[in-house]
Amino acid sequence: MAQNFHSSPICKLLLLLILQCGLPTTTIAQAPAPAPSGPTNITKILEKAGQFTTLMRLFKLTQVGDQINTQLNNSNQGMTVFAPTDNAFSALKTGTLNSLSDQQKVQLLQFHVLPQYLTTTQFQTISNPLRTQAGDSASDKFPLNITSSGSQVNVTTGVMDTTVSNTLYTDGSLAVYQVDKVLLPMGMFGPQSPAPAPAPGKKKKSGADDDTPATDDSTAGADASDAIQFVGHVHGLMVGSVGVIVFIVFTCL
């Protein structure tokens, strides 16, 4: 009888229910959702790339780095940055950066920033000179010219020439390109206009002080001679007058 119970369908169903209730259930864990990407930060991009310590320091000192980040994260306007390496800054003439005013340092860094996003392919069709964040692109101010031949991108400012040696970052809004020379703008490092010539004046004696008007030697000598003769004449008149007065006094006595 017991054997028939265990082999009956009802018994098998009961055993199956008991087993399902007693065993723990398992679930498959889902992979976590990717964390949202943070805002674009030019300093972090340069820090990750390495060899841009000087540029990062200048970006912080002048707050140009903050301006780039703010503009990228609060507008739809793209940007292109040319990033000189530490070796590029070291190659500058000693004291170049220290000789610049705070405003000039800002302009120097802004000269490395274009207010538009450009790919290396677009460099082949752009119109020169390009306008930078430094402002005026006229030939005597802040002109930046870029030409592309095959895979080589040439950059010139009228003072120096260099090439784009590497693409550090690009996301469709910001492009950062490595350059091995600091881009020196014409308005700050080009030949200066000559000082205006002084207004024409009277001819001066050789060796005379610049503030002393020129004189004629012959005229000066004549004036001195006339003065001496005049003094002598006055002296003679005074002596003669005294003699006359003495004569009149004695006559009256």
Side-chain angles (χ1 to χ4, degrees), residues 180-202:
D180 296 327
K181 290 184 181 180
V182 178
L183 306 184
L184 305 178
M186 178 71 73
M188 295 169 57
F189 296 93
Q192 301 299 316
S193 302
K202 294 183 179 180

Side-chain angles (χ1 to χ4, degrees), residues 7 22 29 61 71 80 83 100 135-136 141 155 165 173 183 223 226 249:
S7 60
L61 178 66
Q71 186 168 334
T80 300
L100 301 178
D136 194 355
K141 295 296 183 181
V155 184
S165 56
S173 178
L183 306 184
D223 292 343
D226 292 343
V249 170

Side-chain angles (χ1 to χ4, degrees), residues 53-127:
T53 304
T54 303
L55 182 58
M56 289 189 295
R57 177 175 60 82
L58 290 173
F59 271 157
K60 182 178 180 180
L61 178 66
T62 59
Q63 298 184 346
V64 171
D66 292 337
Q67 294 173 6
I68 294 174
N69 295 333
T70 300
Q71 186 168 334
L72 284 171
N73 295 305
N74 292 280
S75 71
N76 295 324
Q77 182 178 6
M79 305 185 76
T80 300
V81 177
F82 295 100
T85 61
D86 290 335
N87 289 336
F89 281 102
S90 298
L92 291 175
K93 184 179 179 181
T94 304
T96 297
L97 293 179
N98 291 333
S99 66
L100 301 178
S101 65
D102 292 341
Q103 181 181 1
Q104 288 175 322
K105 290 177 181 177
V106 171
Q107 290 177 322
L108 176 63
L109 293 179
Q110 289 178 334
F111 188 60
H112 290 71
V113 182
L114 305 180
Q116 56 182 319
Y117 171 79
L118 293 174
T119 65
T120 54
T121 303
Q122 289 175 309
F123 286 143
Q124 300 176 4
T125 58
I126 57 177
S127 298

Side-chain angles (χ1 to χ4, degrees), residues 5-22:
F5 176 80
H6 289 297
S7 60
S8 65
I10 297 175
C11 180
K12 292 180 179 180
L13 179 62
L14 291 173
L15 290 174
L16 181 62
L17 291 174
I18 293 171
L19 290 173
Q20 288 182 346
C21 293

Side-chain angles (χ1 to χ4, degrees), residues 194-202 204 210:
K202 294 183 179 180
K204 300 180 181 180
D210 291 342

Side-chain angles (χ1 to χ4, degrees), residues 109-165:
L109 293 179
Q110 289 178 334
F111 188 60
H112 290 71
V113 182
L114 305 180
Q116 56 182 319
Y117 171 79
L118 293 174
T119 65
T120 54
T121 303
Q122 289 175 309
F123 286 143
Q124 300 176 4
T125 58
I126 57 177
S127 298
N128 288 307
L130 292 174
R131 182 177 180 83
T132 68
Q133 291 286 76
D136 194 355
S137 60
S139 59
D140 60 342
K141 295 296 183 181
F142 296 93
L144 186 66
N145 296 277
I146 299 178
T147 58
S148 178
S149 177
S151 60
Q152 179 172 312
V153 178
N154 304 305
V155 184
T156 180
T157 69
V159 179
M160 49 69 61
D161 303 310
T162 188
T163 59
V164 172
S165 56

Side-chain angles (χ1 to χ4, degrees), residues 230-243:
F230 176 76
V231 172
H233 181 67
V234 172
H235 181 267
L237 289 176
M238 291 179 64
V239 172
S241 299
V242 172

